[in-house]
Amino acid sequence: MQWTVRLEARTSAGEVKTTELVTFSRPVVVSTLTEIGLVLSETKALLARLQASMLCGQVAEYAAQHRVCAACGVLQPFKDRRTRRLQTLFGTVEVEAPRFKVCRCRQPVPMTGVTVSPVCALLTARCTPELERVQAELGARTSFRDGVRILESLLPVSPANHESLRSRTHAVALQLEAADRQTAAEVMAVRDEPDKAAAADASRPVVMLDGAYIRAVPGHQVRNFEAICGKVEREGQPTRRFALVRSVAEQPHALLRAALQDQGWREGDAVTAISDGDPALPALVRSATGGPVEYILDWFHLSMRVHHVEQVMGGLCALELPPLVPLDQAQIDVDRLRHLLWNGDHERACEALGRIVSWAKDAIVLNNLAVEAKARRLVARCTELRAYIENNEGALIDYGQRYRAGKPISTSRAEGTVNQLVSARMNKRRQMRWSPRGAHRVLQVRAAVLDGRFGQNAFQFAA
Ligand SMILES: [Zn+2]
């Protein structure tokens, strides 16, 4: 049995042209399942032929239309015929790009040999935007080598190597970054519109930030470098992610600013930022907004440090202590710590820590080895927690109150973003090493892919 696929093209002038694309044949008596229906290799061949036929016809029609002088309607003289190659998802197609002499009516001095090539003017890139986008998305989702394998196994796309997939991913990242910079710059333009400022939403955007370490390529001055990941959340809006490697981002604050703007933020609107105690993170938010930022220390990071104190105390309680070591007072203070911090009473928490430390120091001199080791640890943990509280004093709030109001108090969701953005593509298990620039660019595309910004019509690159 045989099947022939023919393509019927109808030009705008009503001319019909039929092209035979492919013929498939199968034995009349089918013996196995593999002989039923289309197979991948045939489909790829069909798609490639279809694409070539359609694209060449379209470009030829385009060239014919543009041969007509726009001013006087006369056909411009034919100069010569060149070819151009265009890479597409369905193969690389060589198209004809004829050159025409510019019509006499538009030449300053008649017949000076000025030529136009409408097809070359149309094909501004070596590949279609769709191919570039799909390659970039694959490059952001999986390794460059795997991305190439996936594409080549499913589509008649022209053979590519991982280097070209990488450069496409980088190219798209640069476009995304440029678009973000443009968005960030546009925020300023609405600065002085009072009605917009008045319309500022009561629910302010919350920026959650977290850092992640990525293994650097050999020869880089450090073994690991840091990527800052985060998300901007606002009630009733889909989450917007962002990520950057500060040392190589052209304008780090612009990337966050664009994310804020996407969430409806306006210059001058207040922003809440939640992060661990790293002072660089709120500083980034401040430089992005240029305005008021309410900075909250992440409850999870604070709570973990309280947990360390509780653990050591628990260890002490588990010892069979001589009656010389009264634990009760210290135990009460340790038990109160979490409650005090949760309710924003960090001054009393510091006092309690001071009492625990002085008690533990007394316990050290009791000359009981088991007690001494644990008491020293308790001193260290308490001192650590106290320093953490003091360094972040301005960022400690009444967590309980905020929590009961249904507002976020933790970056735990930002940590999820770190996992999605960094760990899944760049973690140690994959034995991958990155240059800061390469990681930064893949992160731009990855954030856009995960947000679904790639799939929307709204996703338009800046010119
Ligand atoms: Zn003319």
Side-chain angles (χ1 to χ4, degrees):
M1 205 176 170
Q2 247 187 18
W3 295 264
T4 300
V5 182
R6 288 192 190 85
L7 183 69
E8 194 181 282
R10 193 181 299 269
T11 66
S12 51
E15 201 182 317
V16 177
K17 195 180 151 199
T18 306
T19 321
E20 198 170 301
L21 294 181
V22 281
T23 300
F24 307 122
S25 50
R26 292 281 186 283
V28 181
V29 183
V30 176
S31 55
T32 63
L33 255 184
T34 54
E35 288 164 306
I36 295 176
L38 276 173
V39 296
L40 188 57
S41 58
E42 288 169 343
T43 317
K44 281 162 77 172
L46 170 63
L47 275 174
R49 301 263 166 79
L50 176 60
Q51 173 75 316
S53 192
M54 194 176 149
L55 219 155
C56 288
Q58 209 180 353
V59 167
E61 173 106 350
Y62 180 86
Q65 297 265 329
H66 283 76
R67 189 174 175 183
V68 180
C69 171
C72 68
V74 165
L75 277 190
Q76 301 180 104
F78 180 80
K79 169 94 189 317
D80 58 12
R81 197 173 294 280
R82 301 190 166 193
T83 56
R84 287 288 299 267
R85 291 162 73 85
L86 183 66
Q87 298 172 20
T88 79
L89 260 180
F90 313 105
T92 300
V93 181
E94 195 169 278
V95 295
E96 294 205 331
R99 292 199 303 168
F100 308 118
K101 292 174 186 159
V102 169
C103 178
R104 278 168 202 231
C105 80
R106 284 185 293 147
Q107 283 198 12
V109 183
M111 302 310 283
T112 47
V114 184
T115 59
V116 282
S117 177
V119 175
C120 288
L122 174 71
L123 304 183
T124 51
R126 289 171 57 197
C127 69
T128 56
E130 189 183 32
L131 174 62
E132 187 176 60
R133 187 176 56 72
V134 171
Q135 285 183 323
E137 178 160 352
L138 278 169
R141 283 186 186 277
T142 177
S143 76
F144 298 123
R145 285 174 203 277
D146 282 347
V148 170
R149 277 183 216 121
I150 293 168
L151 262 186
E152 285 183 358
S153 64
L154 293 174
L155 288 167
V157 61
S158 16
N161 56 26
H162 65 280
E163 294 288 347
S164 70
L165 200 74
R166 184 207 314 265
S167 58
R168 289 273 157 78
T169 311
H170 284 206
V172 168
L174 289 174
Q175 291 162 9
L176 283 168
E177 251 189 293
D180 274 353
R181 280 198 299 275
Q182 198 180 336
T183 307
E186 279 164 3
V187 182
M188 278 195 269
V190 296
R191 186 177 205 162
D192 294 324
E193 290 175 36
D195 54 325
K196 294 260 170 68
D201 208 322
S203 76
R204 59 171 66 170
V206 180
V207 183
M208 296 172 208
L209 296 144
D210 204 2
Y213 283 90
I214 298 171
R215 265 159 64 119
V217 284
H220 192 68
Q221 60 265 44
V222 286
R223 283 171 68 97
N224 298 294
F225 57 90
E226 193 185 24
I228 297 175
C229 301
K231 51 166 67 171
V232 182
E233 289 191 349
R234 191 173 201 169
E235 259 181 70
Q237 303 260 19
T239 301
R240 170 67 151 78
R241 294 170 184 80
F242 65 90
L244 55 102
V245 177
R246 189 194 283 269
S247 57
V248 292
E250 207 171 298
Q251 290 176 15
H253 68 276
L255 300 177
L256 173 54
R257 198 175 162 82
L260 279 163
Q261 209 266 0
D262 269 7
Q263 297 290 68
W265 172 82
R266 302 276 172 189
E267 180 92 39
D269 285 355
V271 170
T272 299
I274 307 179
S275 76
D276 63 7
D278 182 352
L281 300 180
L284 174 72
V285 184
R286 272 192 291 276
S287 69
T289 61
V293 175
E294 178 199 19
Y295 172 49
I296 297 174
L297 185 70
D298 169 38
W299 170 252
F300 175 74
H301 282 85
L302 184 59
S303 161
M304 273 311 290
R305 283 170 169 79
V306 175
H307 181 66
H308 292 152
V309 173
E310 290 166 346
Q311 258 185 330
V312 181
M313 193 68 208
L316 263 170
C317 292
L319 292 175
E320 287 198 9
L321 292 176
L324 273 173
V325 191
L327 269 179
D328 307 357
Q329 276 310 310
Q331 175 75 59
I332 291 169
D333 274 329
V334 169
D335 287 345
R336 286 170 68 217
L337 274 179
R338 182 177 293 275
H339 176 78
L340 289 171
L341 289 169
W342 176 252
N343 291 304
D345 205 347
H346 49 273
E347 277 167 24
R348 282 168 69 198
C350 281
E351 287 163 20
L353 281 168
R355 284 194 300 273
I356 303 168
V357 167
S358 73
W359 173 86
K361 280 182 175 164
D362 288 348
I364 291 174
V365 294
L366 284 175
N367 249 352
N368 179 322
L369 275 180
V371 176
E372 189 184 328
K374 287 205 189 308
R376 277 188 199 285
R377 242 188 21 250
L378 187 61
V379 170
R381 293 281 183 253
C382 288
T383 315
E384 216 174 271
L385 174 58
R386 191 167 177 172
Y388 191 67
I389 292 172
E390 281 166 0
N391 288 338
N392 292 288
E393 214 174 352
L396 294 167
I397 54 149
D398 188 332
Y399 291 95
Q401 192 183 42
R402 190 176 160 85
Y403 179 75
R404 288 188 295 274
K407 292 176 181 167
I409 53 165
S410 170
T411 58
S412 53
R413 278 179 286 180
E415 279 165 41
T417 311
V418 167
N419 287 335
Q420 290 170 328
L421 283 170
V422 178
S423 310
R425 177 75 172 87
M426 303 175 177
N427 71 3
K428 296 184 183 96
R429 195 169 46 80
R430 295 180 82 120
Q431 290 297 316
M432 280 182 184
R433 289 160 175 268
W434 294 82
S435 74
R437 195 173 301 279
H440 175 75
R441 291 187 180 159
V442 167
L443 284 173
Q444 301 313 305
V445 183
R446 227 177 133 71
V449 167
L450 290 171
D451 278 353
R453 277 181 272 149
F454 251 10
Q456 296 164 359
N457 294 331
F459 184 77
Q460 280 168 347
F461 296 140

